[in-house]
Structure formats: structure tokens, C-alpha cells
Amino acid sequence: MHQYRPRVNGRRVEVRAAPDTPLLWVLRDNLGLTGTKFGCGVAQCGACVVHVRGASVPSCVVPISALGDAPVETIEGIRDPVARRVQDAWVALDVPQCGYCQSGMVMAAVALLREHERPSDRQIDDALAMHICRCGTYARIKQAVKQAAAAR
Ligand code: FES
Ligand code: FES
């Protein structure tokens, strides 16, 4: 076990973990941030996506020892106007079905809209390409991203 002091949602936290422990398990098990979900464990589904240095990253394949001082943002920590617009659009369009994939989807949408105020269809598709929704909410997700972009 090693001691790590990652910056998560604007706070420096202390965790004890083996160096190869995925960030996902540090978030869920050590820090109780269970909004980030486990799906595949091999960077193939997007359920575990968080922001590391502002970029969407599958936290299931990031060892805690590789994180260094990079700031991490999870679904519990997004509070800026872009995130609010995304969350409002998600609610207005009643996007989730079972909800399991939605945390990762929202994190991807927020990262996209922070970078591109009015993303093209292609940019939306690219940003969400790795994300799987077993309930098939893709059309509503895409519509919600567009609605969030239009609401700025
Ligand atoms: S659980 Fe990380 S991408 Fe599927
Ligand atoms: S809403 Fe059920 S997996 Fe996406």
C-alpha cells in the first residue's frame, strides 16, 4: 500500500492504495464517489469516464500511481454553467432510462461543450463514440447535447 494525495473535485484528498489500483476504485471505494460507474474495466464502454486535466478519461484504466498532480473531476464535482446546461437539458428531455451509462455520458458531453460551444454532429458523435448505452438512449443524448449548446 502507498499513500497518494490526488486532487479530486477541487480538494486534495489522501488515499492509501496499491500503485496499480485503478482511479475508478479509488473514487468509488476510497472516496465514496459512486456516481462514476464500472462497466467493462477495459476502456470499452465509457461508464467510468471522468475528467483528468479537463479531458474525458476512462478511470478504469488509469492507475492511481500514474495520476501525479493531475486534477480529477467527477460527476459529483461538475458545477460550472456548461455542466448546469447539460444537466438541465438531460432533465428536460428525460434522457436516462436505467441511468447506468449516464454519468459517463454527461462527463463526455460537458468536456465536449467546454471545448466547442456549438459542436457539429460529427464532433458529438466523436465525443460519445466510446460510450455504450444498453438502453439505447443515444438519440435523446445527442438531442440533449444540442439543446445544452443552444441554451448558452
Ligand atoms: S468501465 Fe471503464 S470504460 Fe468501461
Ligand atoms: S440509460 Fe441504461 S445503459 Fe444507458
Side-chain angles (χ1 to χ4, degrees), residues 95-102 105 132-137:
V95 171
Q97 195 160 315
C98 80
Y100 201 82
C101 71
Q102 298 289 322
M105 294 283 194
I132 294 173
C133 175
R134 294 298 296 269
C135 301
T137 65

Side-chain angles (χ1 to χ4, degrees), residues 16-148:
R16 285 180 64 75
D20 60 352
T21 305
L23 172 60
L24 173 62
W25 299 121
V26 170
L27 294 173
R28 290 183 57 85
D29 293 349
N30 295 69
L31 302 176
L33 297 171
T34 55
T36 305
K37 303 301 186 201
F38 170 70
C40 64
V42 289
Q44 294 292 312
C45 77
C48 68
V49 161
V50 298
H51 297 166
V52 176
R53 283 200 185 86
S56 290
V57 169
S59 60
C60 66
V61 293
V62 178
I64 185 65
S65 55
L67 198 58
D69 207 33
V72 176
E73 193 178 26
T74 72
I75 190 76
E76 292 88 351
I78 51 168
R79 291 202 182 90
D80 67 317
V82 173
R84 242 189 332 271
R85 283 198 297 276
V86 168
Q87 289 166 335
D88 287 349
W90 244 249
V91 171
L93 295 175
D94 207 6
V95 171
Q97 195 160 315
C98 80
Y100 201 82
C101 71
Q102 298 289 322
S103 163
M105 294 283 194
V106 165
M107 295 306 283
V110 169
L112 170 68
L113 291 174
R114 283 178 183 165
E115 195 175 351
H116 303 284
E117 290 184 346
R118 287 298 185 114
S120 64
D121 278 3
R122 175 72 186 273
Q123 286 170 324
I124 296 172
D125 290 344
D126 287 350
L128 299 174
M130 83 163 295
H131 293 259
I132 294 173
C133 175
R134 294 298 296 269
C135 301
T137 65
Y138 300 107
R140 289 203 297 276
I141 287 168
K142 197 165 178 179
Q143 204 183 339
V145 172
K146 290 181 175 180
Q147 183 161 313

